[in-house]
Amino acid sequence: MHTRRRLRFPALLLAALAVTALPGCSRVGGDSTQVAAKVNDTEISLSQLQHVLQRQPAPTPERADALARRVLDGMVDQELAAQGARGQGLDKDPRVVQAIEAAKRDILAKAYQDAVAEKAQLPSSDEIDRYYDGQPALFSQRRFYALQEIAVQGAPEELVALQPKVEAAPDAARAADMLREARLKFSSRQLTVSPEDVPLALLGRLSELRDGQSLMVPQPGGARVLTMVSSTAAPLSRDAARPAIQAYLTNERKSQAAHQALKALRDGARIEYKGKFAQAASAPAAGASAAR
């Protein structure tokens, strides 16, 4: 009997669905200006507490107050430690100042990218339909694949030479014989994967295999030989796939918007690399000029 095991590949639809997941939060009643605790002369507001609670797993209603109190106690301890650090002058320590500035830079950069991403246009219904139609292996022709996987160790050049022969083998046994004849070390196992377990570029090739056919996938230190044992149809209807496709395309569009905005900032900025970094920065530019 085959057990469902996952190849170590990114999951397209699972990643898309994950985009729609929101962090659990525990609501704390009261106005945002109200004080949750006072630590010496410093106040911790309800809005500050709510900000931290939003990053916590959502509790059951009966445990919400206990979670809020536990988180608040942690914030009180944190504030006490921060006050102690300031009392010892640690806020002036160059390493601490650098860490604070790095954290501020990271927070501001993320806030800018998030603000740009939020302005990205959402995919239209037609775009979602085109994506569905353009990826039949993920949706209308979706299948579960029972595979014989052979993990083989070897140098890239010898594996490249073997690849056509292995992929022409009539079954997994013959593919293994070829690797054995080449004196290569390998191990094998059987597993079942869904389309979401496989990167898009490989899924196209995998979906075209007939029972007994193999393909070789390079990986660091060797390769994987995947032989189709059998497959089971598991189509996903257009309506069922629509939320995941919308989330995936939206995430892609937001990522592109943030990338383009950053590129525009870089193009409009005056950036000077110094010292050894100046030499490293000029090398690609010189290569590009030579190419032109």
Side-chain angles (χ1 to χ4, degrees), residues 209-233:
L209 293 182
R210 296 188 300 275
D211 291 357
Q213 290 186 319
S214 302
L215 61 85
M216 182 180 284
V217 184
Q219 66 178 18
R224 290 182 182 184
V225 178
L226 303 174
T227 303
M228 182 70 68
V229 177
S230 64
S231 62
T232 304

PDB file of all heavy atoms in Angstrom, residues 209-233:
ATOM      1  N   LEU A 209       3.788  11.821 -18.014  1.00  0.00           N
ATOM      2  CA  LEU A 209       4.318  10.461 -17.937  1.00  0.00           C
ATOM      3  C   LEU A 209       3.195   9.425 -17.975  1.00  0.00           C
ATOM      4  O   LEU A 209       2.136   9.609 -17.385  1.00  0.00           O
ATOM      5  CB  LEU A 209       5.110  10.271 -16.637  1.00  0.00           C
ATOM      6  CG  LEU A 209       6.419  11.053 -16.462  1.00  0.00           C
ATOM      7  CD1 LEU A 209       7.054  10.681 -15.133  1.00  0.00           C
ATOM      8  CD2 LEU A 209       7.380  10.793 -17.606  1.00  0.00           C
ATOM      9  N   ARG A 210       3.463   8.342 -18.671  1.00  0.00           N
ATOM     10  CA  ARG A 210       2.571   7.179 -18.618  1.00  0.00           C
ATOM     11  C   ARG A 210       3.137   6.186 -17.613  1.00  0.00           C
ATOM     12  O   ARG A 210       4.294   6.290 -17.207  1.00  0.00           O
ATOM     13  CB  ARG A 210       2.454   6.534 -20.004  1.00  0.00           C
ATOM     14  CG  ARG A 210       1.798   7.438 -21.050  1.00  0.00           C
ATOM     15  CD  ARG A 210       1.523   6.675 -22.346  1.00  0.00           C
ATOM     16  NE  ARG A 210       2.738   6.153 -22.950  1.00  0.00           N
ATOM     17  CZ  ARG A 210       3.521   6.860 -23.767  1.00  0.00           C
ATOM     18  NH1 ARG A 210       3.200   8.101 -24.086  1.00  0.00           N
ATOM     19  NH2 ARG A 210       4.606   6.314 -24.280  1.00  0.00           N
ATOM     20  N   ASP A 211       2.319   5.236 -17.191  1.00  0.00           N
ATOM     21  CA  ASP A 211       2.777   4.253 -16.211  1.00  0.00           C
ATOM     22  C   ASP A 211       4.050   3.577 -16.684  1.00  0.00           C
ATOM     23  O   ASP A 211       4.145   3.125 -17.841  1.00  0.00           O
ATOM     24  CB  ASP A 211       1.693   3.191 -15.976  1.00  0.00           C
ATOM     25  CG  ASP A 211       0.481   3.773 -15.249  1.00  0.00           C
ATOM     26  OD1 ASP A 211       0.525   4.953 -14.893  1.00  0.00           O
ATOM     27  OD2 ASP A 211      -0.502   3.025 -15.066  1.00  0.00           O
ATOM     28  N   GLY A 212       5.048   3.523 -15.819  1.00  0.00           N
ATOM     29  CA  GLY A 212       6.327   2.892 -16.139  1.00  0.00           C
ATOM     30  C   GLY A 212       7.374   3.873 -16.629  1.00  0.00           C
ATOM     31  O   GLY A 212       8.564   3.551 -16.606  1.00  0.00           O
ATOM     32  N   GLN A 213       6.978   5.044 -17.082  1.00  0.00           N
ATOM     33  CA  GLN A 213       7.942   6.022 -17.589  1.00  0.00           C
ATOM     34  C   GLN A 213       8.595   6.777 -16.434  1.00  0.00           C
ATOM     35  O   GLN A 213       8.014   6.935 -15.352  1.00  0.00           O
ATOM     36  CB  GLN A 213       7.267   6.998 -18.542  1.00  0.00           C
ATOM     37  CG  GLN A 213       6.862   6.381 -19.861  1.00  0.00           C
ATOM     38  CD  GLN A 213       6.337   7.423 -20.840  1.00  0.00           C
ATOM     39  OE1 GLN A 213       5.598   8.327 -20.471  1.00  0.00           O
ATOM     40  NE2 GLN A 213       6.724   7.283 -22.091  1.00  0.00           N
ATOM     41  N   SER A 214       9.812   7.269 -16.706  1.00  0.00           N
ATOM     42  CA  SER A 214      10.596   7.948 -15.669  1.00  0.00           C
ATOM     43  C   SER A 214      11.095   9.300 -16.155  1.00  0.00           C
ATOM     44  O   SER A 214      11.172   9.568 -17.361  1.00  0.00           O
ATOM     45  CB  SER A 214      11.816   7.103 -15.265  1.00  0.00           C
ATOM     46  OG  SER A 214      11.437   5.819 -14.806  1.00  0.00           O
ATOM     47  N   LEU A 215      11.434  10.153 -15.197  1.00  0.00           N
ATOM     48  CA  LEU A 215      12.159  11.385 -15.498  1.00  0.00           C
ATOM     49  C   LEU A 215      13.189  11.587 -14.407  1.00  0.00           C
ATOM     50  O   LEU A 215      13.019  11.149 -13.265  1.00  0.00           O
ATOM     51  CB  LEU A 215      11.210  12.587 -15.613  1.00  0.00           C
ATOM     52  CG  LEU A 215      10.352  13.009 -14.424  1.00  0.00           C
ATOM     53  CD1 LEU A 215      11.120  13.926 -13.477  1.00  0.00           C
ATOM     54  CD2 LEU A 215       9.109  13.736 -14.918  1.00  0.00           C
ATOM     55  N   MET A 216      14.300  12.235 -14.777  1.00  0.00           N
ATOM     56  CA  MET A 216      15.395  12.482 -13.841  1.00  0.00           C
ATOM     57  C   MET A 216      15.419  13.962 -13.499  1.00  0.00           C
ATOM     58  O   MET A 216      15.401  14.811 -14.392  1.00  0.00           O
ATOM     59  CB  MET A 216      16.737  12.039 -14.433  1.00  0.00           C
ATOM     60  CG  MET A 216      17.925  12.224 -13.472  1.00  0.00           C
ATOM     61  SD  MET A 216      19.519  11.704 -14.171  1.00  0.00           S
ATOM     62  CE  MET A 216      19.362   9.925 -14.064  1.00  0.00           C
ATOM     63  N   VAL A 217      15.456  14.260 -12.209  1.00  0.00           N
ATOM     64  CA  VAL A 217      15.450  15.634 -11.722  1.00  0.00           C
ATOM     65  C   VAL A 217      16.755  15.910 -10.987  1.00  0.00           C
ATOM     66  O   VAL A 217      17.010  15.300  -9.942  1.00  0.00           O
ATOM     67  CB  VAL A 217      14.261  15.873 -10.765  1.00  0.00           C
ATOM     68  CG1 VAL A 217      14.207  17.337 -10.353  1.00  0.00           C
ATOM     69  CG2 VAL A 217      12.955  15.444 -11.406  1.00  0.00           C
ATOM     70  N   PRO A 218      17.609  16.795 -11.508  1.00  0.00           N
ATOM     71  CA  PRO A 218      18.867  17.103 -10.824  1.00  0.00           C
ATOM     72  C   PRO A 218      18.620  17.719  -9.450  1.00  0.00           C
ATOM     73  O   PRO A 218      17.634  18.431  -9.238  1.00  0.00           O
ATOM     74  CB  PRO A 218      19.537  18.123 -11.754  1.00  0.00           C
ATOM     75  CG  PRO A 218      18.875  17.940 -13.081  1.00  0.00           C
ATOM     76  CD  PRO A 218      17.463  17.539 -12.773  1.00  0.00           C
ATOM     77  N   GLN A 219      19.510  17.433  -8.515  1.00  0.00           N
ATOM     78  CA  GLN A 219      19.491  18.046  -7.197  1.00  0.00           C
ATOM     79  C   GLN A 219      20.924  18.089  -6.682  1.00  0.00           C
ATOM     80  O   GLN A 219      21.798  17.404  -7.232  1.00  0.00           O
ATOM     81  CB  GLN A 219      18.591  17.267  -6.241  1.00  0.00           C
ATOM     82  CG  GLN A 219      19.072  15.872  -5.912  1.00  0.00           C
ATOM     83  CD  GLN A 219      18.148  15.174  -4.915  1.00  0.00           C
ATOM     84  OE1 GLN A 219      17.011  15.567  -4.723  1.00  0.00           O
ATOM     85  NE2 GLN A 219      18.652  14.135  -4.266  1.00  0.00           N
ATOM     86  N   PRO A 220      21.220  18.900  -5.672  1.00  0.00           N
ATOM     87  CA  PRO A 220      22.598  18.989  -5.179  1.00  0.00           C
ATOM     88  C   PRO A 220      23.148  17.621  -4.790  1.00  0.00           C
ATOM     89  O   PRO A 220      22.515  16.866  -4.058  1.00  0.00           O
ATOM     90  CB  PRO A 220      22.459  19.898  -3.939  1.00  0.00           C
ATOM     91  CG  PRO A 220      21.257  20.749  -4.235  1.00  0.00           C
ATOM     92  CD  PRO A 220      20.320  19.845  -4.985  1.00  0.00           C
ATOM     93  N   GLY A 221      24.317  17.299  -5.334  1.00  0.00           N
ATOM     94  CA  GLY A 221      24.969  16.037  -5.020  1.00  0.00           C
ATOM     95  C   GLY A 221      24.466  14.842  -5.785  1.00  0.00           C
ATOM     96  O   GLY A 221      24.906  13.719  -5.562  1.00  0.00           O
ATOM     97  N   GLY A 222      23.531  15.049  -6.710  1.00  0.00           N
ATOM     98  CA  GLY A 222      23.006  13.918  -7.469  1.00  0.00           C
ATOM     99  C   GLY A 222      21.726  14.247  -8.202  1.00  0.00           C
ATOM    100  O   GLY A 222      21.613  15.302  -8.819  1.00  0.00           O
ATOM    101  N   ALA A 223      20.762  13.331  -8.117  1.00  0.00           N
ATOM    102  CA  ALA A 223      19.502  13.518  -8.838  1.00  0.00           C
ATOM    103  C   ALA A 223      18.440  12.612  -8.239  1.00  0.00           C
ATOM    104  O   ALA A 223      18.738  11.718  -7.428  1.00  0.00           O
ATOM    105  CB  ALA A 223      19.682  13.208 -10.325  1.00  0.00           C
ATOM    106  N   ARG A 224      17.198  12.844  -8.641  1.00  0.00           N
ATOM    107  CA  ARG A 224      16.087  11.962  -8.308  1.00  0.00           C
ATOM    108  C   ARG A 224      15.516  11.400  -9.598  1.00  0.00           C
ATOM    109  O   ARG A 224      15.339  12.130 -10.565  1.00  0.00           O
ATOM    110  CB  ARG A 224      14.982  12.709  -7.563  1.00  0.00           C
ATOM    111  CG  ARG A 224      15.332  13.140  -6.165  1.00  0.00           C
ATOM    112  CD  ARG A 224      14.157  13.828  -5.517  1.00  0.00           C
ATOM    113  NE  ARG A 224      14.472  14.311  -4.187  1.00  0.00           N
ATOM    114  CZ  ARG A 224      13.602  14.889  -3.377  1.00  0.00           C
ATOM    115  NH1 ARG A 224      12.357  15.067  -3.790  1.00  0.00           N
ATOM    116  NH2 ARG A 224      13.949  15.302  -2.190  1.00  0.00           N
ATOM    117  N   VAL A 225      15.249  10.128  -9.577  1.00  0.00           N
ATOM    118  CA  VAL A 225      14.571   9.486 -10.697  1.00  0.00           C
ATOM    119  C   VAL A 225      13.149   9.172 -10.232  1.00  0.00           C
ATOM    120  O   VAL A 225      12.951   8.434  -9.259  1.00  0.00           O
ATOM    121  CB  VAL A 225      15.288   8.201 -11.143  1.00  0.00           C
ATOM    122  CG1 VAL A 225      14.515   7.537 -12.282  1.00  0.00           C
ATOM    123  CG2 VAL A 225      16.719   8.505 -11.578  1.00  0.00           C
ATOM    124  N   LEU A 226      12.172   9.765 -10.900  1.00  0.00           N
ATOM    125  CA  LEU A 226      10.772   9.572 -10.550  1.00  0.00           C
ATOM    126  C   LEU A 226      10.104   8.723 -11.620  1.00  0.00           C
ATOM    127  O   LEU A 226      10.073   9.108 -12.789  1.00  0.00           O
ATOM    128  CB  LEU A 226      10.054  10.927 -10.438  1.00  0.00           C
ATOM    129  CG  LEU A 226      10.661  11.910  -9.430  1.00  0.00           C
ATOM    130  CD1 LEU A 226       9.946  13.259  -9.518  1.00  0.00           C
ATOM    131  CD2 LEU A 226      10.587  11.353  -8.012  1.00  0.00           C
ATOM    132  N   THR A 227       9.612   7.566 -11.228  1.00  0.00           N
ATOM    133  CA  THR A 227       8.941   6.658 -12.148  1.00  0.00           C
ATOM    134  C   THR A 227       7.463   6.583 -11.798  1.00  0.00           C
ATOM    135  O   THR A 227       7.104   6.354 -10.636  1.00  0.00           O
ATOM    136  CB  THR A 227       9.550   5.244 -12.082  1.00  0.00           C
ATOM    137  OG1 THR A 227      10.951   5.320 -12.369  1.00  0.00           O
ATOM    138  CG2 THR A 227       8.883   4.323 -13.093  1.00  0.00           C
ATOM    139  N   MET A 228       6.617   6.782 -12.827  1.00  0.00           N
ATOM    140  CA  MET A 228       5.181   6.735 -12.602  1.00  0.00           C
ATOM    141  C   MET A 228       4.726   5.288 -12.414  1.00  0.00           C
ATOM    142  O   MET A 228       4.887   4.457 -13.308  1.00  0.00           O
ATOM    143  CB  MET A 228       4.452   7.348 -13.797  1.00  0.00           C
ATOM    144  CG  MET A 228       2.940   7.395 -13.646  1.00  0.00           C
ATOM    145  SD  MET A 228       2.425   8.586 -12.408  1.00  0.00           S
ATOM    146  CE  MET A 228       2.894  10.121 -13.228  1.00  0.00           C
ATOM    147  N   VAL A 229       4.187   4.983 -11.241  1.00  0.00           N
ATOM    148  CA  VAL A 229       3.622   3.664 -10.979  1.00  0.00           C
ATOM    149  C   VAL A 229       2.160   3.640 -11.393  1.00  0.00           C
ATOM    150  O   VAL A 229       1.704   2.764 -12.108  1.00  0.00           O
ATOM    151  CB  VAL A 229       3.784   3.282  -9.495  1.00  0.00           C
ATOM    152  CG1 VAL A 229       3.123   1.929  -9.216  1.00  0.00           C
ATOM    153  CG2 VAL A 229       5.262   3.250  -9.108  1.00  0.00           C
ATOM    154  N   SER A 230       1.415   4.636 -10.946  1.00  0.00           N
ATOM    155  CA  SER A 230       0.013   4.781 -11.314  1.00  0.00           C
ATOM    156  C   SER A 230      -0.438   6.186 -10.951  1.00  0.00           C
ATOM    157  O   SER A 230       0.282   6.922 -10.269  1.00  0.00           O
ATOM    158  CB  SER A 230      -0.864   3.736 -10.604  1.00  0.00           C
ATOM    159  OG  SER A 230      -0.840   3.951  -9.204  1.00  0.00           O
ATOM    160  N   SER A 231      -1.628   6.549 -11.390  1.00  0.00           N
ATOM    161  CA  SER A 231      -2.177   7.855 -11.035  1.00  0.00           C
ATOM    162  C   SER A 231      -3.683   7.732 -10.855  1.00  0.00           C
ATOM    163  O   SER A 231      -4.321   6.846 -11.440  1.00  0.00           O
ATOM    164  CB  SER A 231      -1.853   8.903 -12.107  1.00  0.00           C
ATOM    165  OG  SER A 231      -2.441   8.560 -13.345  1.00  0.00           O
ATOM    166  N   THR A 232      -4.217   8.638 -10.035  1.00  0.00           N
ATOM    167  CA  THR A 232      -5.644   8.635  -9.743  1.00  0.00           C
ATOM    168  C   THR A 232      -6.215  10.013 -10.023  1.00  0.00           C
ATOM    169  O   THR A 232      -5.696  11.017  -9.503  1.00  0.00           O
ATOM    170  CB  THR A 232      -5.909   8.276  -8.265  1.00  0.00           C
ATOM    171  OG1 THR A 232      -5.299   7.015  -7.975  1.00  0.00           O
ATOM    172  CG2 THR A 232      -7.399   8.194  -7.989  1.00  0.00           C
ATOM    173  N   ALA A 233      -7.258  10.087 -10.825  1.00  0.00           N
ATOM    174  CA  ALA A 233      -7.873  11.371 -11.160  1.00  0.00           C
ATOM    175  C   ALA A 233      -8.479  12.016  -9.923  1.00  0.00           C
ATOM    176  O   ALA A 233      -9.148  11.361  -9.123  1.00  0.00           O
ATOM    177  CB  ALA A 233      -8.938  11.177 -12.229  1.00  0.00           C
TER     178      ALA A 233
END
